[in-house]
Amino acid sequence: MGRVDKGVKCSVCGKEAARSLSGDKVRAAGLKVGSERRAYLCKEHYKEYKKKTKRDKQLEKWRYNP
Ligand SMILES: [Zn+2]
């Protein structure tokens, strides 16, 4: 989890990857990363991933605490 080696490409757009995450989590967030077990994300797509997971958490909060 976390950092990636130099030269690894983002699974979404092919730019230099900044983060390595579980493929399942990234797919659950709605990013298109194929069926690999690990997904690599560039800064931009990691930001997008964070945004989407944050939104899900807020939705849960809203759902359980109306
Ligand atoms: Zn990307």
Side-chain angles (χ1 to χ4, degrees):
M1 268 304 211
R3 300 195 150 240
V4 289
D5 294 332
K6 277 227 162 178
V8 178
K9 301 275 191 270
C10 172
S11 306
V12 183
C13 68
K15 283 187 198 168
E16 193 182 339
R19 295 283 176 155
S20 141
L21 294 145
S22 149
D24 287 339
K25 282 189 185 175
V26 177
R27 277 190 293 279
L31 286 151
K32 298 198 174 12
V33 292
S35 53
E36 295 93 350
R37 289 184 61 193
R38 300 220 61 78
Y40 298 96
L41 297 179
C42 65
K43 277 185 195 166
E44 277 170 51
H45 280 113
Y46 183 63
K47 225 185 265 178
E48 198 178 324
Y49 164 81
K50 293 276 278 187
K51 219 186 279 176
K52 291 190 181 193
T53 50
K54 199 172 169 190
R55 194 184 299 154
D56 283 350
K57 273 178 203 153
Q58 280 172 344
L59 204 69
E60 262 171 48
K61 215 187 263 178
W62 172 79
R63 203 182 289 149
Y64 294 119
N65 306 300

